[in-house]
């Protein structure tokens, strides 16, 4: 409560979102803040909406950030209101859209803001544009908190940008180059590979006063908890879903998808979800000396696949630089 910047490192299921919501509501009721900005992966914005509905202890106005939203100027207008204004911003969007970044920055001036950076490992790369822009947004806020279950999935070099977001004075290295020089040992090919760390106790002593860590042992749970990650299909995938389910398409250029029974329908839907178009291609085959026309299914990669993108993000957050196995039917 007494910290303007805090790292909440807690394993899944131990209450990161719950804690952040109660902290934001308490600060609002105490007159410390007028608004909240939630920086999180785009797939978690609806999760925050559901969690707020369960745990918020005062009135609030929750909006998912949209650069074209007509409500944005009024929503950003400074001034105390009876409800806590909450803006959920896609952290991926910060890296690709300057308009989205400018719009999010426009929410800050004149408002007393608390910024919640959920899954803060998404800004662990100091060179990424999303990281630099998230840090800039954090610098303009009155209170900052980061939420993460795996803050150092790959090593202590993951910590710098997360604490730089909280407060540059916590580690106080000045920049990432100085941080690397102080705490990381390089070697290997062209002396560019991380082979060890140094002054680790010094670094831990710097961040401990601003850090709360909760392990899943407090829940008395089994070793593993499976997590379902939901993604939004593309417009192309939705169109193909409809073609499989309805079995007809008025578009003469629509692809031919072979579906003869319920089992085959389920297979085709799984193939589309996996990022492929299961196109039915008529072919002539010789069977027992007789030419017969048969229909083969050829899998053609789709232009994009949100399921694959989410998998890559998960790998980068937790397993980059290590070995991992991907089980997939397609």
């Amino acid at each position: 409560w007494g910290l303007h910047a805090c790292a909440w490192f807690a394993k899944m299921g131990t209450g990161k979102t719950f804690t952040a919501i109660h902290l934001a509501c308490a600060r609002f009721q105490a007159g410390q803040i007028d608004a909240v900005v939630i920086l999180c992966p785009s797939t978690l914005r609806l999760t925050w909406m559901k969690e707020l509905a369960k745990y918020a202890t005062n009135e609030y106005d929750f909006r998912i950030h949209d650069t074209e939203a007509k409500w944005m100027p009024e929503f950003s207008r400074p001034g105390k209101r009876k409800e806590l204004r909450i803006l959920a911003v896609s952290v991926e969007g910060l890296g690709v859209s300057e308009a989205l970044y400018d719009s999010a920055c426009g929410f800050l001036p004149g408002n007393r803001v608390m910024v919640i950076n959920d899954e803060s490992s998404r800004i662990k790369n100091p060179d990424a544009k999303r990281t630099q822009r998230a840090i800039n947004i954090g610098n303009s806020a009155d209170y900052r908190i980061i939420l993460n279950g795996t803050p150092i999935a790959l090593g202590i070099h993951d910590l710098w940008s997360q604490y730089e977001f909280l407060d540059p004075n916590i580690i106080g290295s000045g920049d990432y180059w100085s941080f690397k020089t102080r705490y990381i040992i390089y070697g290997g090919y062209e002396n560019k590979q991380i082979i060890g760390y140094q002054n680790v106790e010094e670094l831990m002593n710097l961040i401990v006063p601003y850090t709360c860590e909760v392990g899943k042992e407090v829940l008395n749970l089994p070793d593993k908890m499976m997590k379902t990650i939901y993604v939004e299909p593309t417009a192309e995938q939705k169109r193909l879903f409809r073609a499989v389910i309805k079995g007809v398409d008025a578009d003469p250029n629509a692809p031919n998808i072979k579906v003869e029974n319920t089992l085959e329908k389920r297979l085709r839907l799984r193939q589309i979800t996996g990022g492929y178009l299961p196109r039915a291609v008529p072919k002539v085959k010789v069977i027992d000396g007789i030419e017969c026309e048969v229909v083969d299914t050829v899998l053609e990669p789709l232009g994009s696949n949100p399921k694959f993108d989410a998998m890559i993000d998960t790998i980068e957050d937790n397993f980059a630089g290590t070995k991992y196995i991907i089980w997939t039917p397609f």
Side-chain angles (χ1 to χ4, degrees):
W1 176 259
L3 296 174
H4 284 256
C6 176
W8 187 257
F9 296 149
K11 296 297 182 181
M12 183 177 66
T14 58
K16 293 190 296 294
T17 306
F18 175 89
T19 303
I21 289 173
H22 279 280
L23 183 60
C25 290
R27 293 205 187 282
F28 176 69
Q29 292 170 20
Q32 295 179 347
I33 62 173
D34 308 312
V36 172
V37 172
I38 302 171
L39 301 179
C40 65
S42 58
T43 55
L44 293 183
R45 291 177 296 179
L46 290 177
T47 300
W48 274 94
M49 181 174 69
K50 295 175 183 177
E51 297 296 286
L52 281 160
K54 288 192 291 185
Y55 300 128
T57 55
N58 51 253
E59 293 184 51
Y60 64 90
D61 186 357
F62 176 84
R63 308 286 179 97
I64 293 180
H65 187 232
D66 183 353
T67 55
E68 299 180 358
K70 296 181 179 179
W71 47 262
M72 195 65 182
E74 173 61 24
F75 193 68
S76 302
R77 183 174 54 83
K80 186 172 178 59
R81 309 181 192 185
K82 66 177 183 179
E83 73 278 353
L84 174 63
R85 285 169 291 155
I86 304 174
L87 184 68
V89 181
S90 165
V91 71
E92 300 98 332
L94 288 180
V96 298
S97 173
E98 188 169 350
L100 184 143
Y101 170 61
D102 290 341
S103 177
C105 289
F107 183 68
L108 298 168
N111 290 306
R112 295 173 297 174
V113 179
M114 173 178 171
V115 178
I116 301 171
N117 191 334
D118 192 10
E119 297 294 343
S120 59
S121 58
R122 293 292 175 91
I123 65 163
K124 67 186 179 184
N125 181 1
D127 298 324
K129 187 174 290 185
R130 72 167 74 165
T131 299
Q132 297 162 5
R133 289 176 170 176
I135 289 173
N136 290 341
I137 290 175
N139 288 339
S140 301
D142 296 88
Y143 295 91
R144 293 161 298 281
I145 182 171
I146 59 176
L147 312 177
N148 207 332
T150 53
I152 50 174
L154 304 180
I156 64 172
H157 55 282
D158 288 348
L159 293 174
W160 184 83
S161 57
Q162 297 182 68
Y163 280 90
E164 186 74 4
F165 167 84
L166 287 177
D167 188 339
N169 295 316
I170 293 177
I171 296 179
S173 58
D175 55 36
Y176 187 54
W177 177 263
S178 300
F179 175 86
K180 292 192 296 183
T181 302
R182 182 68 181 168
Y183 300 109
I184 301 175
I185 302 173
Y186 285 90
Y189 180 68
E190 294 185 349
N191 204 39
K192 292 182 178 180
Q193 295 178 336
I194 297 176
I195 62 173
Y197 301 97
Q198 58 188 357
N199 303 314
V200 175
E201 185 176 356
E202 172 190 290
L203 177 62
M204 294 301 108
N205 288 336
L206 291 174
I207 68 175
V208 161
Y210 304 90
T211 304
C212 180
E213 187 172 8
V214 181
K216 63 181 179 181
E217 64 275 2
V218 301
L219 299 175
N220 193 29
L221 295 173
D223 288 340
K224 283 189 176 182
M225 289 181 64
M226 307 309 292
K227 179 180 180 181
T228 301
I229 300 175
Y230 295 93
V231 297
E232 183 74 14
T234 65
E236 182 182 22
Q237 286 177 314
K238 290 179 180 179
R239 179 173 59 83
L240 294 174
F241 289 159
R242 289 193 293 269
V244 171
I245 294 170
K246 294 182 179 179
V248 294
D249 196 320
D251 184 358
N253 298 317
N256 183 22
I257 301 176
K258 176 175 173 285
V259 177
E260 295 184 351
N261 52 56
T262 301
L263 183 61
E264 199 164 33
K265 178 185 292 186
R266 184 175 181 85
L267 173 64
R268 301 301 174 225
L269 292 173
R270 290 182 65 202
Q271 289 169 333
I272 295 168
T273 302
Y276 292 93
L277 163 59
R279 187 186 296 277
V281 180
K283 292 184 178 180
V284 175
K285 289 187 176 180
V286 178
I287 303 176
D288 294 332
I290 302 174
E291 288 189 352
C292 302
E293 186 175 290
V294 297
V295 178
D296 283 349
T297 297
V298 178
L299 296 182
E300 300 176 0
L302 298 175
S304 61
N305 181 19
K307 185 178 177 183
F308 183 84
D309 295 340
M311 181 187 70
I312 293 299
D313 284 340
T314 302
I315 290 172
E316 290 180 347
D317 287 346
N318 301 285
F319 308 110
T322 66
K323 297 180 179 180
Y324 46 89
I325 298 175
I326 301 169
W327 298 99
T328 175
F330 310 112

